[in-house]
C-alpha cells in the first residue's frame, strides 16, 4: 500500500526518523479506516503485541483480532486524522529490534451504523520493532477523548 498524504502526520524537523517509520504510520491509519482490511491490519502487530484502546486491551494475535472486529460492530465509516508524531529513541545503541518509540495525537470522525456522527480526539503511544526488516507494533496504546 502506498502511503496517503491524508494520513501523513507532521514530524519534527530536528529529529531524524527512518522514512519507513513515517510510511508505516501513514499506511496503518489508512488500513485502520477500511473494515475490509482486518487481516492486513493484523499484520501490523507482533504475535505477542499489546494493544490498548481506551478501556479495552488485548494481548496476542487472537485477542487483537477480536478487538479489531469489535471496533467495527457499531461503526459504519471512520476517518483518522493523525496530526503530529513525537518520536524518541530509548533502545540501546546498536539494538536493531526497537525501530522507534513515539507519542502522537490526532482526531477521528466516524459515523455509526445508526447514522450518528461523532468526532473524537485521541493520543497514543507506540513501540515499533524491526523484525527481519519488517516493522511491527510491539505496543500500541490509545487514549480516547469523546
Amino acid at each position: 500500500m502506498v502511503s496517503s498524504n491524508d494520513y501523513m502526520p507532521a514530524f519534527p524537523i530536528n529529529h531524524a526518523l527512518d522514512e519507513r517509520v513515517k510510511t508505516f504510520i501513514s499506511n496503518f491509519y489508512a488500513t485502520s479506516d477500511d473494515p475490509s482490511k482486518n487481516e492486513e491490519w493484523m499484520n501490523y502487530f507482533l504475535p505477542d503485541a499489546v494493544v490498548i484502546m481506551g478501556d479495552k486491551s488485548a494481548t496476542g494475535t487472537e485477542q487483537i483480532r477480536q478487538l479489531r472486529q469489535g471496533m467495527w460492530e457499531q461503526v459504519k465509516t471512520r476517518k483518522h486524522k493523525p496530526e503530529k508524531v513525537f518520536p524518541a529513541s530509548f533502545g540501546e545503541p546498536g539494538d536493531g529490534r526497537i525501530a522507534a518509540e513515539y507519542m502522537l495525537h490526532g482526531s477521528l470522525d466516524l459515523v455509526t451504523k445508526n447514522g450518528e456522527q461523532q468526532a473524537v480526539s485521541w493520543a497514543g503511544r507506540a513501540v515499533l520493532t524491526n523484525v527481519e526488516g519488517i516493522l511491527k507494533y510491539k505496543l500500541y496504546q490509545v487514549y480516547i477523548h469523546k
Side-chain angles (χ1 to χ4, degrees), residues 5-18:
N5 285 340
D6 288 350
Y7 291 97
M8 186 62 75
F11 292 87
I13 58 173
N14 63 344
H15 187 284
L17 187 65
D18 186 333

Side-chain angles (χ1 to χ4, degrees), residues 58-127:
T59 301
T61 301
E62 286 311 310
Q63 287 183 12
I64 294 170
R65 181 177 284 113
Q66 291 172 7
L67 180 67
R68 164 71 176 181
Q69 291 168 345
M71 293 187 313
W72 287 100
E73 285 178 357
Q74 302 299 319
V75 175
K76 181 178 178 182
T77 64
R78 66 180 186 201
K79 172 74 168 137
H80 283 88
K81 297 176 189 171
E83 294 176 26
K84 291 183 180 176
V85 174
F86 305 89
S89 298
F90 296 102
E92 295 295 319
D95 177 10
R97 288 269 307 158
I98 302 297
E101 187 163 349
Y102 59 89
M103 303 279 300
L104 75 161
H105 73 89
S107 62
L108 171 69
D109 294 325
L110 64 87
V111 178
T112 64
K113 290 184 177 175
N114 67 8
E116 179 186 351
Q117 294 184 11
Q118 297 179 10
V120 176
S121 55
W122 54 269
R125 67 187 267 254
V127 176

